[in-house]
Amino acid sequence: MAVVTVRNPGTGEVLGEVPETGAAQVAATVERAGKAQRAMAATPAHERAALLRRVADLIEAEFEGLARLLAAENGKPIQQTRGEVEAAIRIFRATAGEATRLFGRQIPLDAVPGLERHLAVTIREPLGVVAALVPFNYPVELYAHKAAAALAAGNAVVVQPPARCPLAVLRIAELVEQAGAPRDAHQVVIGGAEVSRQLAEMSGIAAVTLTGSTAAGREIARLAAGTLKQVHLELGGNDALIVCADADVEEAARAVVLGRLARGNGQICCAVKRVYVQTAVHDAFVDALVAQTAKLTVGDQLLESTDVGPLIAEEAAGRVLDAVRTLVGDGARLVAGGVRTRAFMDPTVLVDVPAASPAFAEEIFGPVAPVARFDDPAEAVRLANDSPYGLHAAVFTRDISRALSIARQLDVGGVVVNGSTALRAENLPFGGTKDTGGYREGVHDTVLDLTRQKTVVVMDAFR
């Protein structure tokens, strides 16, 4: 049997080996999940809510161990993985409440002539078996969004954690079982793209929810179309931050540092990936950004003092360095960083980046901040919108009318005023436009989206 070897991306230390799930095993898993889904659907909402609360309690009881395991296998600094595990606990608890709020509607049939005496109501029912495809960058948090919502709605769920860092999710899967989930209602399969493709194609899967690259999303959507299953996609981003002439440049620079260079090692879909600065404050902003970047500590992700750990793999860091070199070749100037050591990439700042550079339009998944100039805010909006992606954007200005006007013009799923684009609260709808996939994920939205409406009509209900 093939196995996946999980390593610390910074040291190469082997953390564990996990058996891959073969095609026949995946098929058997989905079949068992289909049977278990009936038990899950028959479980009263208050019991589903109690199950999710028990899961949250068990995660909380192992909080530090899970955070350290996640940091070791994923590369994010330990302080950030603690935050991720905390988010997962909140998501399970918040989603528990949503399980008891799957409201139907009463629709007035007296709006239609001849139907005045009849009663129509809608009820919410689970979809069936949900496939949850989880990425490497925030595996515990994004797993929680998908799996907790599926169970809250009365579905069974088959989880595919990231092959490079599955260990923390696998441990939480054991906690779900310990919490008393119906047998086979929550299962995990291990593997790469071939497992994802199989889940997308299978008729026994009612919905696929994926956080991943745009290329992966297109492939999953194409395969899922054969069985007309639901597909929920939260894909790539190339988020722009606009700094206007009246902005607080120190705060704007801090938003880039905390929202790009020192958050998730730059491997976040909603990180600040493009910075547009009005000419009047460009130099002051760059000076502040470079000064703050110089204070970041790159190193062992398990040390409390580390701000930036290793990327998920050496080849990932290599792709980031290639993108930096391409931007420099296109005319950008390197003013900080630009050095790779194995899987570590020093926080990098580029200025005079040509807005027309193809590399500037692509998502760079690492700690790189490319900065370009603009003269008029209308130009900045045009540049920000000139991207195939549309996840988040941010604008720094002291003029609230300008901020709101720019926010309305930006073709994105969310706009942050005077803050970083790297903002995700579990109770907000999260997602974007264009190649970002169009879906919105969040505790209020996802549970509802993993149900279907059924209309029930009672004839002659009224005399």
Side-chain angles (χ1 to χ4, degrees), residues 93-108:
R93 287 181 175 149
T95 306
E98 295 300 316
T100 65
R101 290 191 287 268
L102 289 170
F103 302 124
R105 297 177 295 159
Q106 185 268 317
I107 300 172

Side-chain angles (χ1 to χ4, degrees), residues 51-52 54-63 66 85 92 143 168-181 186:
L51 167 66
L52 297 179
R54 289 195 297 272
V55 173
D57 291 345
L58 290 170
I59 295 173
E60 191 169 49
E62 296 192 12
F63 171 78
L66 285 168
V85 176
F92 268 93
Y143 154 81
V169 173
L170 284 168
R171 176 56 190 153
I172 294 174
E174 294 174 348
L175 299 180
V176 174
E177 182 179 359
Q178 184 179 330
H186 179 284

Side-chain angles (χ1 to χ4, degrees), residues 225-317:
T227 52
L228 297 178
K229 58 173 59 70
Q230 285 195 23
V231 180
H232 302 165
L233 301 175
E234 197 282 290
L235 307 176
N238 196 4
D239 295 8
L241 184 144
I242 297 169
V243 183
C244 296
D246 65 340
D248 182 330
V249 294
E250 288 288 341
E251 282 301 314
R254 187 170 293 108
V256 176
V257 171
L258 298 181
R260 172 59 161 174
L261 302 180
R263 179 77 63 83
N265 305 332
Q267 300 168 122
I268 310 177
C269 56
C270 62
V272 177
K273 298 192 177 81
R274 295 176 291 155
V275 186
Y276 297 104
V277 186
Q278 201 158 7
T279 298
V281 292
H282 176 274
D283 292 350
F285 170 83
V286 171
D287 288 346
L289 179 58
V290 171
Q292 292 182 33
T293 300
K295 298 176 183 178
L296 296 175
T297 299
V298 179
D300 183 346
Q301 68 268 33
L302 293 171
L303 296 178
E304 301 289 341
S305 58
T306 295
D307 299 304
V308 183
L311 275 65
I312 191 64
E314 288 191 29
E315 53 266 38

Side-chain angles (χ1 to χ4, degrees), residues 103-254:
F103 302 124
R105 297 177 295 159
Q106 185 268 317
I107 300 172
L109 282 182
D110 61 353
V112 181
L115 300 182
E116 294 88 351
R117 294 174 57 190
H118 311 323
L119 172 70
V121 297
T122 65
I123 57 176
R124 289 278 175 180
E125 297 181 335
L127 293 177
V129 180
V130 175
L133 312 185
V134 180
F136 74 83
N137 57 341
Y138 276 78
V140 169
E141 181 175 346
L142 296 177
Y143 154 81
H145 268 294
K146 300 175 192 305
L151 296 173
N155 300 289
V157 60
V158 176
V159 178
Q160 183 187 4
R164 288 192 181 277
C165 52
L167 300 180
V169 173
L170 284 168
R171 176 56 190 153
I172 294 174
E174 294 174 348
L175 299 180
V176 174
E177 182 179 359
Q178 184 179 330
R183 182 179 176 86
D184 295 327
H186 179 284
Q187 300 179 79
V188 179
V189 293
I190 301 294
E194 69 286 347
V195 171
S196 303
R197 294 189 188 101
Q198 184 178 356
L199 291 171
E201 285 186 305
M202 292 187 69
S203 60
I205 297 292
V208 178
T209 171
L210 164 73
T211 300
S213 70
T214 296
R218 285 199 175 99
E219 177 72 357
I220 293 299
R222 182 185 68 81
L223 294 170
T227 52
L228 297 178
K229 58 173 59 70
Q230 285 195 23
V231 180
H232 302 165
L233 301 175
E234 197 282 290
L235 307 176
N238 196 4
D239 295 8
L241 184 144
I242 297 169
V243 183
C244 296
D246 65 340
D248 182 330
V249 294
E250 288 288 341
E251 282 301 314
R254 187 170 293 108

Side-chain angles (χ1 to χ4, degrees), residues 396-441:
F396 269 81
T397 176
R398 291 184 170 92
D399 185 334
I400 189 61
S401 294
R402 177 185 292 120
L404 293 175
S405 297
I406 289 175
R408 290 188 65 175
Q409 297 171 55
L410 289 166
D411 187 3
V412 295
V415 179
V416 181
V417 177
N418 293 331
S420 165
T421 61
L423 171 66
R424 181 167 188 179
E426 59 271 9
N427 61 338
L428 293 177
F430 182 84
T433 63
K434 301 183 284 189
D435 283 2
T436 298
Y439 184 63
R440 300 295 183 274
E441 189 173 67

Side-chain angles (χ1 to χ4, degrees), residues 325-460:
R325 288 171 172 168
T326 298
L327 286 170
V328 171
D330 288 343
R333 183 163 53 91
L334 184 69
V335 293
V339 176
R340 176 178 82 90
T341 306
R342 302 187 306 278
F344 293 88
M345 183 74 195
D346 285 358
T348 299
V349 178
L350 296 155
V351 298
D352 300 329
V353 178
S357 168
F360 200 21
E362 291 302 317
E363 181 179 28
I364 301 174
F365 222 52
V368 178
V371 182
R373 300 172 186 259
F374 70 89
D375 293 317
D376 182 81
E379 178 190 4
V381 170
R382 180 184 62 78
L383 291 169
N385 285 340
D386 188 19
S387 167
Y389 304 103
L391 183 49
H392 276 180
V395 55
F396 269 81
T397 176
R398 291 184 170 92
D399 185 334
I400 189 61
S401 294
R402 177 185 292 120
L404 293 175
S405 297
I406 289 175
R408 290 188 65 175
Q409 297 171 55
L410 289 166
D411 187 3
V412 295
V415 179
V416 181
V417 177
N418 293 331
S420 165
T421 61
L423 171 66
R424 181 167 188 179
E426 59 271 9
N427 61 338
L428 293 177
F430 182 84
T433 63
K434 301 183 284 189
D435 283 2
T436 298
Y439 184 63
R440 300 295 183 274
E441 189 173 67
V443 293
H444 303 306
D445 300 84
T446 307
V447 177
L448 197 64
D449 290 340
L450 292 178
T451 66
R452 61 190 176 204
Q453 289 192 85
K454 177 180 283 183
T455 302
V456 178
V457 179
V458 180
M459 304 299 288
D460 297 317

